[in-house]
Amino acid sequence: GENVGLHLPTLSVQEGDNSIINCAYSNSASDYFIWYKQESGKGPQFIIDIRSNMDKRQGQRVTVLLNKTVKHLSLQIAATQPGDSAVYFCAERLSGGYNKLIFGAGTRLAVHP
Amino acid sequence: DGGITQSPKYLFRKEGQNVTLSCEQNLNHDAMYWYRQDPGQGLRLIYYSQIVNDFQKGDIAEGYSVSREKKESFPLTVTSAQKNPTAFYLCASSIGGTSGETQYFGPGTRLLVL
């Protein structure tokens, strides 16, 4: 896209397969996490969120897993479709203070028919 | 139709010129944010406002200014002091407060230097 992901890691999957996108977050004090999807030339779109008192949360075709021990977040997309092709990035919120989010650089998901 | 709108979609700036990017939301959100996005990097916070008539600097505020005179509006001015303004600018809003409220984004404005 014109504005994101020129040098991002890319995950290539076949249509219909499951996708797993990983994210390592930086702060053990973070209490809230969000996954966003960004298509080329558009603003990020909220996908799913999870609080630090949970390990797993499911949405429609998506699941987020949180492993606080190793500070790892993952997004699983079931039955990946061509419309899922985009850049995905995670964000962590530092506990306390205002609602500051720290964003990862993102992973490009390429879905092949 | 509720949401966040940003205008213009593309904006061109000449040397030494100040330009203003518009952000409007009708979600009745208290908090609003401006981010800058460069290729291969995560979003970086420029300014944020938790409530009307109040705003705070983010991580990269130099060369930018904002105002928050109305709840629904949070314009960003890119001043001539910003030496590398070419980027994709994103506005976001959230309900507000200190709990983990989701930030919702507008469609973005692409700023280019002539």
Side-chain angles (χ1 to χ4, degrees), chain A residues 12-34:
Chain A
S12 294
V13 300
Q14 292 295 123
E15 181 178 358
D17 287 352
N18 296 334
S19 303
I20 300 176
I21 301 171
N22 296 305
C23 177
Y25 63 92
S26 57
N27 198 313
S28 57
S30 293
D31 63 354
Y32 178 65
F33 305 87
I34 309 175

Side-chain angles (χ1 to χ4, degrees), chain B residues 64-84:
Chain B
Y64 301 98
S65 66
V66 294
S67 63
R68 187 83 188 278
E69 298 176 359
K70 297 187 295 182
K71 185 175 184 178
E72 60 270 24
S73 179
F74 191 39
L76 173 74
T77 297
V78 183
T79 74
S80 57
Q82 173 50 243
K83 298 307 179 187
N84 183 26

